Amino acid sequence: MSAHANLERRRQAIYGWLLLSPALVLLSVFAFYPTMATLWSSVFSRGTRRKPVEFVGSENYTDLFVDPTFWLVVKNNLLYAGVTIPVSIGIALAMALWANSKISARGFVRTAYFTPTVLPMIAAANLWLFFYTPGLGVLDQIGSVFGLPSVNWLGQPETALWAIIIVTIWKEAGFFMIFYLAALQTIPEDLKEAADIEGASRWTYTRRIVLPLLMPTTVFIAVNALINSVKLIDHLFILTKGGPSDASKLLLYYIWEMAFAFFDAPQAAAMTILVIAVLAIVAAVQFLYLDKRTHHQ
């Protein structure tokens, strides 16, 4: 009996590892190995013909911390994330509440909200380039009707990053709306009927019942929005290329520029490791703290 039990336990273990192996292989090839290779690269110097690669330890990281351009990019990314995350989530929630209500042409409204999400990143950037072009763009054409001067939205340090922020909010709000819409449709109708019987207003029902039940979805969306805020690169290639004067340069674009324009792969690797570390901390906070506080039984 004991031998049979051991054989059955071993068979279940093999079956479990077979189920895990596809995901484990994919994670190892596309996540674990690249991360370790990047970490290894970040502790070596950039090699040249006259000066071979050598171990420098944390020198690449200390160089980053004294680099004013790095801190400017960090500041840009913090402003970019601080605006795009709450605004896009707020707009997505408002759109989902409206699209989930009993209105006419509800399917058309949902499609209209979701359309920007399905557009390719490059196509969306070119579309907004048409809006922002000085003199010929839609915004300047509208402004000229009211006698406003032409504005180079993408060519001024004061407006370039804000122009990128608007494009991101327009692109992401519809995507986040889908998650909210799916969560709203899981809320039992009995809760709305009970609130109506108690005489609760629509605002009270939304604030006291709907929003707390949507908190797990909100946390999930917020973490995804944070990840998206450090991986924007497509729009910058088309719209500003990080300019003018690095005013719209963000972390991932700076990493790409350091690696493929300045050919400083170790410095780019060091920045990548820092970004991964920050995202890992955020994920840990989500799973160990926020996730427990926001799920309702």
Side-chain angles (χ1 to χ4, degrees):
M1 186 66 179
S2 178
H4 177 73
N6 289 335
L7 180 62
E8 184 64 25
R9 191 179 299 112
R10 190 177 299 112
R11 184 181 300 170
Q12 291 180 356
I14 293 174
Y15 181 67
W17 280 109
L18 288 175
L19 291 176
L20 286 174
S21 58
L24 190 60
V25 169
L26 290 175
L27 286 173
S28 299
V29 173
F30 296 107
F32 300 146
Y33 173 73
T35 301
M36 296 307 298
T38 302
L39 178 62
W40 181 259
S41 177
S42 70
V43 295
F44 287 87
S45 65
R46 178 175 57 173
T48 63
R49 289 186 175 182
R50 295 185 177 181
K51 188 177 181 181
V53 174
E54 59 182 16
F55 180 80
V56 294
S58 61
E59 183 177 322
N60 289 317
Y61 296 92
T62 55
D63 288 346
L64 279 178
F65 292 139
V66 297
D67 179 12
T69 303
F70 172 73
W71 289 111
L72 175 60
V73 172
V74 170
K75 178 183 175 182
N76 291 342
N77 227 130
L78 289 175
L79 174 61
Y80 174 82
V83 176
T84 57
I85 293 174
V87 174
S88 59
I89 290 176
I91 294 176
L93 177 59
M95 292 192 303
L97 291 171
W98 189 29
N100 193 57
S101 61
K102 297 178 180 179
I103 59 174
S104 58
R106 184 166 54 180
F108 173 78
V109 171
R110 293 177 179 178
T111 303
Y113 284 160
F114 188 67
T115 297
T117 301
V118 300
L119 289 176
M121 300 288 284
I122 301 300
N126 278 286
L127 176 65
W128 278 93
L129 189 63
F130 172 69
F131 276 80
Y132 288 139
T133 302
L136 302 175
V138 174
L139 294 181
D140 274 7
Q141 293 295 325
I142 295 175
S144 64
V145 175
F146 299 96
L148 299 177
S150 176
V151 178
N152 188 0
W153 300 99
L154 300 174
Q156 298 181 146
E158 298 81 10
T159 59
L161 184 58
W162 290 100
I164 300 295
I165 288 174
I166 291 173
V167 176
T168 301
I169 294 173
W170 171 82
K171 190 83 167 60
E172 291 194 342
F175 177 65
F176 297 150
M177 179 206 69
I178 296 300
F179 295 102
Y180 274 128
L181 193 58
L184 286 170
Q185 293 176 356
T186 63
I187 298 177
E189 288 289 336
D190 297 347
L191 296 178
K192 182 66 171 67
E193 294 174 1
D196 292 338
I197 293 174
E198 293 294 331
S201 64
R202 179 179 296 181
W203 166 245
T204 301
Y205 169 72
T206 302
R207 181 172 59 89
R208 301 295 296 273
I209 297 177
V210 175
L211 294 183
L213 291 176
L214 290 179
M215 277 305 297
T217 304
T218 301
V219 172
F220 171 78
I221 291 174
V223 172
N224 278 273
L226 179 63
I227 294 172
N228 291 342
S229 69
V230 297
K231 68 176 189 179
L232 181 73
I233 191 170
D234 312 69
H235 292 167
L236 295 180
F237 270 114
I238 301 298
L239 295 175
T240 64
K241 291 182 172 56
S245 302
D246 299 328
S248 63
K249 188 173 291 183
L250 302 179
L251 279 170
L252 187 59
Y253 188 89
Y254 191 39
I255 291 172
W256 173 88
E257 189 177 58
M258 189 67 69
F260 299 104
F262 303 146
F263 300 104
D264 193 348
Q267 198 84 342
M271 279 192 285
T272 303
I273 292 299
L274 291 177
V275 171
I276 292 175
V278 171
L279 295 180
I281 292 172
V282 172
V285 170
Q286 181 203 13
F287 288 111
L288 299 178
Y289 180 72
L290 294 178
D291 199 55
K292 295 180 181 178
R293 294 180 62 89
T294 57
H295 279 85
H296 302 269
Q297 301 297 329

